[in-house]
Amino acid sequence: VLIKLPDSVELPGRHDLGVGVREIPGEQEFIGTKVEVIGAIRINVPYPGRYAEIDLNVKDGNVNEQIPIEVYVINKGKEDFDVSVDVNFLNGSQNIFNIPFKPVFLKPNEDRYFRKFLDTTGFKPGNYIAEAVVNYGKEVRMSRTFRIGSLFVNITNFTQALPKEGIKRFSVDIESMWNNNVDEVYADVNISNSTKSLGFRTPSVNLGPWEKKTLVGFVDTLDLEGSYKTNIILYYSGQKSFASGELTVFREESNY
């Protein structure tokens, strides 16, 4: 294959061209295979003057860990430039930390990875924003959200009403706030009022980083009716989480 390309392309940016070769089956073949090969040609046309493309990568992590921070800068213009990079870390609208990088010189089509680690010692668990500020004679900003976790599994919801029909399903929704696996998570549920008390334990589940799941147990509602106080204790990795509320057991005809 001989390809003749133009001497110049006016439109800046990336241009893709594909060249394919396909095998034609023989006339006597009803069922068979054929080979198809496609080659990709990529043409990068520099932008006039100074122009940079940037990318920011930040991973989720945990408190008291080192989170890798990476800023990628490539010179897509026709001019050389010096580039400086700073990464700000924000909790809401408040700038709480900054990581600076040494400036570098980039010729056209040269690139550079700026890499460091964010030490999360002293950070509170929660959602954060990383903002890269890149200056190459023109200031460009790019932000990414990331999470800093702690070893905590939250009880987000649980069953609050059941019909008086016998053995019924009782659900406990949980969510991991940890950036690692949490194994053998289970709950003890106690339901009580002034005259009656009963409890059960759910089967255990394993949680991946930031994963949500539902624990399921069963309660016999045949001898229950009215309002009961619910207490839930969640067990995981030597830790406990607590939740409490109210369960209403109703007769179907009451249209609760």
Side-chain angles (χ1 to χ4, degrees):
V1 178
L2 180 64
I3 303 174
K4 185 177 181 181
L5 299 175
D7 295 331
S8 63
V9 178
E10 293 184 3
L11 183 63
R14 183 177 122 179
H15 304 272
D16 294 327
L17 175 66
V19 179
V21 178
R22 178 182 301 166
E23 180 183 7
I24 300 177
E27 293 181 354
Q28 298 180 358
E29 294 182 13
F30 289 99
I31 299 176
T33 60
K34 61 181 180 180
V35 178
E36 182 175 356
V37 179
I38 298 178
I41 300 172
R42 180 172 298 166
I43 302 170
N44 287 305
V45 180
Y47 290 81
R50 296 182 179 183
Y51 185 84
E53 290 184 357
I54 66 173
D55 193 22
L56 169 64
N57 292 305
V58 186
K59 295 183 178 180
D60 294 331
N62 294 317
V63 292
N64 301 322
E65 289 184 353
Q66 303 281 331
I67 297 180
I69 308 297
E70 179 185 87
V71 181
Y72 175 71
V73 181
I74 181 170
N75 184 352
K76 286 296 188 79
K78 293 183 178 181
E79 295 183 13
D80 305 340
F81 55 68
D82 292 301
V83 57
S84 63
V85 175
D86 286 88
V87 180
N88 299 319
F89 298 92
L90 298 89
N91 186 0
S93 59
Q94 182 181 5
N95 191 342
I96 60 173
F97 196 71
N98 171 267
I99 294 181
F101 293 87
K102 292 182 179 179
V104 299
F105 179 78
L106 292 181
K107 295 181 179 180
N109 212 36
E110 284 188 339
D111 61 0
R112 175 67 180 266
Y113 285 94
F114 298 83
R115 295 186 176 108
K116 284 188 179 181
F117 287 90
L118 171 65
D119 185 356
T120 63
T121 302
F123 280 63
K124 295 181 179 180
N127 296 324
Y128 290 82
I129 299 174
E131 180 189 52
V133 183
V134 179
N135 197 318
Y136 58 96
K138 174 184 177 182
E139 186 177 275
V140 179
R141 294 173 179 259
M142 174 175 286
S143 61
R144 295 280 187 268
T145 59
F146 68 102
R147 297 173 291 189
I148 297 179
S150 62
L151 183 52
F152 176 69
V153 180
N154 190 26
I155 301 172
T156 59
N157 200 7
F158 54 88
T159 299
Q160 299 179 44
L162 289 173
K164 182 181 173 69
E165 292 179 348
I167 297 176
K168 305 303 293 182
R169 175 189 176 110
F170 189 99
S171 300
V172 180
D173 297 332
I174 59 176
E175 179 181 8
S176 174
M177 310 305 290
W178 186 237
N179 197 47
N180 298 104
N181 295 331
V182 184
D183 297 330
E184 299 295 322
V185 183
Y186 65 93
D188 283 340
V189 181
N190 180 264
I191 300 168
S192 64
N193 64 8
S194 59
T195 61
K196 189 180 293 289
S197 177
L198 60 90
F200 60 90
R201 174 170 290 181
T202 70
S204 63
V205 298
N206 298 329
L207 293 174
W210 312 99
E211 189 174 13
K212 300 178 181 179
K213 282 189 177 180
T214 299
L215 299 174
V216 177
F218 294 89
V219 56
D220 190 348
T221 64
L222 195 60
D223 296 329
L224 304 178
E225 188 171 350
S227 297
Y228 296 82
K229 185 174 178 58
T230 303
N231 288 303
I232 302 173
I233 305 176
L234 191 68
Y235 296 89
Y236 53 95
S237 301
Q239 307 293 319
K240 297 178 183 179
S241 296
F242 303 89
S244 62
E246 190 174 272
L247 172 69
T248 300
V249 179
F250 60 93
R251 295 181 181 270
E252 287 286 4
E253 61 268 23
S254 65
N255 294 322
Y256 174 79

